[in-house]
Amino acid sequence: MVQTLPAPRGKLTENRPLNDLTWLRVGGPADYLFQPADIDDLQHFLRDLPAEVPVFPMGVGSNLIVRDGGLRAVVIRLGRGFNSVSVDGNTVTAGAAALDAHVARKAADAGVDLTFLRTIPGSIGGAVRMNAGCYGSYTADVLRKATIVTRQGEVLDLSPEDLNFRYRQSDLPDGAVLVSATFEGPAGDPEELHTRMAAQLQKRDETQPTKDRSAGSTFRNPAGFSSTGRADDVHDLKAWKVIDDAGMRGASRGGAQMSPKHSNFLINTGSATASDLEGLGEEVRKKVYETSGITLEWEIMRVGDPLKE
Ligand SMILES: Cc1cc2nc3c(=O)[nH]c(=O)nc-3n(C[C@H](O)[C@H](O)[C@H](O)COP(=O)(O)OP(=O)(O)OC[C@H]3O[C@@H](n4cnc5c(N)ncnc54)[C@H](O)[C@@H]3O)c2cc1C
């Protein structure tokens, strides 16, 4: 990218590899990585950044495969200036860089039930963008307001309606960066909430490869079986089951593997490239289609360019 970029107070790094910023530990460089000092710094940077320069906000990379050729964009990653958490009654306001687990614990301390966030390894920005959820609860159920900085540098409050939440998706204006979110959770007894979270963590460890490098569920459960939490949803057809039926549990390519412990988890066993991981995922989709006629949809986002030959 040949551009003169605004000089921020935060950290701007050219040609920054992204592998160490993603859970799967793969990915080539971003043209630039920008870590704003605070909201004011972010606003000024975006306002002064030439309109044609693409921006990609990232959280802690727990739902991302960044391809090996990297990202032709300014990647924006929020840090310390964006991770405060405060509780007022049943209302919890968290910076977009705050980790879901931390927010769940702070909320529980204050007797607010956001327990479903405890086992999701992302940040609040990623939770809102992805409508993260588990155990039948979703970000959409508890979100009251999200604050963004637009690509033009304006601060705007969005309502849940503006975000148009869907299964693992919400709408944000192009290039907008979520900076904080306000949730309202049901009241609960702090001790009971902490006990429930401990049980959920234990359940995860028993059923999922939580010690491996993964990005969580690789594919959505097949359409109509998406664990949306809605009353009309059904839960009897799971992605892991059709992957098992296609004989792909434990299948590998290079350093990538479909976890033997949970076949819908794509893992980096140590030396995987993004191309190994995405290639194996595509192979799984093909095999599943051949054996069951079902087209699996990726849940992991894949971004950036493949490595040039
Ligand atoms: C072991 C494991 C278990 C998981 N279990 C679950 C689960 O039970 N339920 C679930 O829903 N997910 C699960 N996930 C997936 C993942 O944790 C969630 O999707 C999470 O919400 C992603 O957050 P993140 O901060 O890592 O976002 P990233 O992966 O960095 O980014 C994901 C998307 O969010 C956008 N984004 C992130 N931050 C911002 C921001 N500040 N402003 C604008 N856009 C932003 C990015 O542009 C990208 O589009 C799991 C992942 C792992 C590794």
Side-chain angles (χ1 to χ4, degrees):
M1 191 187 289
V2 190
Q3 285 285 352
T4 312
L5 300 196
R9 279 185 287 116
K11 196 170 169 195
L12 184 64
T13 316
E14 194 174 354
N15 205 26
R16 169 67 161 82
L18 295 175
N19 55 344
D20 63 328
L21 300 182
T22 70
W23 267 64
L24 280 164
R25 293 288 185 274
V26 295
D31 285 343
Y32 288 89
L33 177 73
F34 175 40
Q35 296 159 282
D38 52 32
I39 192 166
D40 185 62
D41 192 30
L42 176 61
Q43 273 189 272
H44 280 91
F45 180 84
L46 286 174
R47 197 195 55 204
D48 296 344
L49 186 69
E52 66 278 13
V53 178
V55 156
F56 181 80
M58 87 180 265
V60 292
S62 65
N63 198 50
L64 285 182
I65 292 177
V66 177
R67 297 194 178 98
D68 303 308
L71 263 169
R72 306 289 71 79
V74 177
V75 169
I76 299 185
R77 195 167 191 271
L78 307 182
R80 233 172 266 136
F82 298 85
N83 63 5
S84 65
V85 182
S86 63
V87 186
D88 179 11
N90 282 8
T91 302
V92 178
T93 300
L99 291 178
D100 299 350
H102 177 62
V103 175
R105 280 195 303 257
K106 289 275 270 196
D109 289 346
V112 183
D113 182 355
L114 296 180
T115 48
F116 75 96
L117 287 173
R118 176 64 186 89
T119 58
I120 302 175
S123 65
I124 289 300
V128 174
R129 178 71 175 84
M130 300 302 300
N131 188 15
C134 59
Y135 306 121
S137 297
Y138 293 83
T139 303
D141 303 336
V142 290
L143 185 109
R144 296 295 171 261
K145 185 180 87 176
T147 304
I148 61 168
V149 175
T150 66
R151 178 62 184 79
Q152 293 73 34
E154 271 176 294
V155 177
L156 274 187
D157 285 342
L158 301 184
S159 68
E161 292 71 35
D162 296 328
L163 287 157
N164 186 25
F165 283 114
R166 298 169 313 281
Y167 182 72
R168 297 288 191 264
Q169 275 181 72
S170 65
D171 291 341
L172 283 181
D174 259 0
V177 182
L178 282 151
V179 289
S180 72
T182 301
F183 306 100
E184 198 180 318
D189 170 55
E191 203 179 314
E192 196 273 319
L193 297 175
H194 280 287
T195 305
R196 195 189 312 159
M197 292 193 292
Q200 288 170 348
L201 278 176
Q202 191 184 344
K203 187 172 165 201
R204 285 262 184 176
D205 286 340
E206 283 162 13
T207 56
Q208 297 180 358
T210 48
K211 306 280 179 286
D212 289 320
R213 292 170 185 174
S214 81
S217 295
T218 307
F219 302 107
R220 298 171 181 203
N221 289 325
F225 304 90
S226 288
S227 316
T228 55
R230 290 199 308 261
D232 62 349
D233 197 9
V234 282
H235 296 259
D236 22 357
L237 188 56
K238 299 287 191 192
W240 68 260
K241 175 75 170 66
V242 294
I243 296 170
D244 273 4
D245 292 348
M248 294 303 278
R249 181 182 288 258
S252 63
R253 170 189 287 223
Q257 188 184 33
M258 298 313 293
S259 165
K261 189 166 182 182
H262 190 307
S263 54
N264 194 26
F265 275 60
L266 181 55
I267 59 177
N268 178 357
T269 61
S271 59
T273 60
S275 159
D276 292 338
L277 291 159
E278 193 171 14
L280 178 58
E282 287 301 330
E283 199 178 318
V284 168
R285 293 181 74 225
K286 185 162 170 276
K287 284 272 166 30
V288 166
Y289 184 74
E290 282 166 9
T291 48
S292 63
I294 289 169
T295 303
L296 287 178
E297 303 289 341
W298 282 92
E299 185 159 314
I300 300 176
M301 294 186 67
R302 286 101 50 238
V303 296
D305 300 335
L307 213 52
K308 287 203 181 77
E309 295 293 309

